[in-house]
Amino acid sequence: MEAPRSAFEEVVTLRQAKQLIQCMAHEQSFLLLSAPGLGKSELVYDAAREAGLPCRSLLGTQIAPEDVSGIPRIVGERSVFCPPRILLPEKPEPFCLFLDELPACSPDVQKAFYSLLLERRLGEHALPKGTWVVAAGNRLQDRALVRAMSSALVNRVTILQLRVDVAEWLAWAQRAGVRSEIRSFIATIPDALMRPVPAEPVPFSTPRAWALLSRAFDMAQKAGLLNNETRRALAFGRLSPEDATVFCALAEDAIGAVRPLEDYLRKPEFLPKGDAARWFILDCIRQFVRDGRADGLKPQVVNRFLRSLSSEHQLLVLNDMVETWGALGADRAMFDLLRKVAAA
């Protein structure tokens, strides 16, 4: 019998989370959880904008309980709590209330949100009908400023664990004007879009890091400052070291936009001339073939590609993959080469 799965093993993409928010956030509160830099905040703002709702936000690390419950004032012989304007605007119109970094709130602040999250109420004041309540934050394993959430808070929200989807991000990046060299790099090395949170507080690759790096390049280029030295400084200041190294090496080799890998297989003359760039593309092609994504190629295409390579580069792409390339239809002469490589 299959063991029960934890709720925290179930994940959705940003697009799926947006659809769920737009469908039911007017009645049910959400808490979006992911590693830093995935794009949670922008997701909420985009969802609200598409729905025609103004978005008001509170940052969990910068608020106190009275910022939620309000300040008391005397009305007649009674005290009445007056919620802040950001939570209860003067015009009773629906809006999106975004509680950013909710897991970073102190326990007292988390308790102050209980009635807001479940009942859409601040003391005796109800939120305008149709108002969304959406929270976001990082997870305990992300080494961020996160506190343990009470079971009472968790039970008042629908928790959505988010994951990055490369195709979604690339489509967004094109609309947002992210530089083509960054988009082609991510399309070629999808794992570089989101790296695990490092043990030390050092730069690491995330969707936010790549988007901000693109903007930094744009500004540096406009000012006439973008060269190999500044590109490296900016890349290593934003990305995981392994991604910054490869990305800058390709840029310095003037590879330009990386083509779809099948293009290089069909027309080897498209392979870059620079040594670093050529090795990089060939290594990507190895993985492309290993993953079975080249299975539709005709044998003559495969043979032409392999014959176009130098012996050194043939060794790179054939090593440990003789049977895989052979299955693609290498002819007898090329298959003899494959066997020699395998025996070496």
Side-chain angles (χ1 to χ4, degrees):
M1 180 177 177
E2 185 179 354
R5 298 182 66 184
S6 165
F8 293 102
E9 295 176 6
E10 304 297 341
V11 295
V12 295
T13 69
L14 295 179
R15 180 182 60 83
Q16 291 168 331
K18 181 197 287 188
Q19 291 172 335
L20 290 171
I21 288 170
Q22 292 174 328
C23 172
M24 60 187 74
H26 63 288
E27 289 188 8
Q28 299 191 17
S29 300
F30 284 90
L31 172 57
L32 312 178
L33 293 179
S34 78
L38 196 71
K40 299 181 292 295
S41 300
E42 185 161 355
L43 178 158
V44 177
Y45 286 114
D46 281 349
R49 183 171 57 251
E50 290 177 8
L53 295 178
C55 192
R56 301 183 176 90
S57 64
L58 287 176
L59 186 60
T61 54
Q62 297 179 1
I63 59 177
E66 56 268 23
D67 295 326
V68 181
S69 58
I71 305 298
R73 66 183 176 91
I74 302 301
V75 178
E77 297 181 354
R78 298 182 180 183
S79 63
V80 177
F81 279 86
C82 301
R85 184 175 297 172
I86 192 172
L87 295 181
L88 201 66
E90 294 173 354
K91 292 184 178 180
E93 297 176 347
F95 64 98
C96 172
L97 176 59
F98 179 39
L99 308 176
D100 201 5
E101 302 297 346
L102 178 63
C105 294
S106 68
D108 286 343
V109 174
Q110 290 187 20
K111 286 196 298 183
F113 281 130
Y114 284 179
S115 61
L116 178 65
L117 291 168
L118 184 62
E119 302 169 6
R120 307 301 174 91
R121 180 174 295 278
L122 294 166
E124 62 188 65
H125 303 280
L127 293 179
K129 185 176 179 60
T131 293
W132 296 1
V133 180
V134 184
N138 303 128
R139 307 160 303 180
L140 287 171
Q141 66 265 36
D142 293 325
R143 303 179 182 89
L145 293 174
V146 175
R147 303 172 187 265
M149 293 184 291
S150 72
S151 58
L153 185 143
V154 169
N155 198 241
R156 283 168 162 78
V157 296
T158 296
I159 295 180
L160 296 180
Q161 295 280 339
L162 304 183
R163 66 175 175 86
V164 67
D165 181 273
V166 175
E168 278 187 17
W169 187 84
L170 287 173
W172 169 86
Q174 185 168 16
R175 295 193 302 271
V178 173
R179 293 171 70 97
S180 61
E181 67 266 32
I182 288 178
R183 288 188 278 114
S184 61
F185 184 83
I186 297 302
T188 307
I189 312 179
D191 288 347
L193 179 58
M194 186 81 198
R195 298 294 186 184
V197 179
E200 300 296 326
V202 295
F204 65 104
S205 302
T206 66
R208 176 169 59 201
W210 284 107
L212 291 175
L213 180 64
S214 175
R215 179 59 182 151
F217 284 165
D218 286 343
M219 291 188 288
Q221 187 172 41
K222 185 176 181 180
L225 299 175
L226 188 60
N227 54 35
N228 290 346
E229 186 176 13
T230 56
R231 182 186 292 107
R232 282 183 168 268
L234 292 170
F236 278 88
R238 281 287 184 192
L239 308 176
S240 300
E242 63 269 29
D243 295 328
T245 298
V246 176
F247 178 81
C248 290
L250 294 177
E252 291 164 16
D253 246 358
I255 185 176
V258 179
R259 294 173 176 268
L261 294 176
E262 190 171 319
D263 287 0
Y264 298 107
L265 286 160
R266 293 185 180 279
K267 294 188 176 182
E269 58 269 26
F270 287 160
L271 286 169
K273 306 303 180 186
D275 194 56
R278 179 171 282 242
W279 278 90
F280 165 73
I281 294 297
L282 290 176
D283 190 57
C284 292
I285 288 174
R286 270 178 55 86
Q287 189 60 50
F288 183 79
V289 172
R290 188 191 299 276
D291 292 344
R293 290 183 286 167
D295 291 350
L297 293 177
K298 295 181 179 180
Q300 57 265 37
V301 172
V302 173
N303 287 302
R304 179 173 179 270
F305 170 77
L306 293 174
R307 287 196 177 89
S308 72
L309 304 178
S310 67
S311 57
E312 185 180 25
H313 290 152
Q314 285 176 340
L315 181 62
L316 168 67
V317 299
L318 298 176
N319 189 36
D320 296 328
M321 293 181 57
V322 171
E323 293 183 2
T324 304
W325 283 102
L328 290 178
D331 60 23
R332 178 174 296 277
M334 187 53 63
F335 196 75
D336 288 341
L337 173 63
L338 297 178
R339 288 189 297 177
K340 289 179 182 179
V341 171

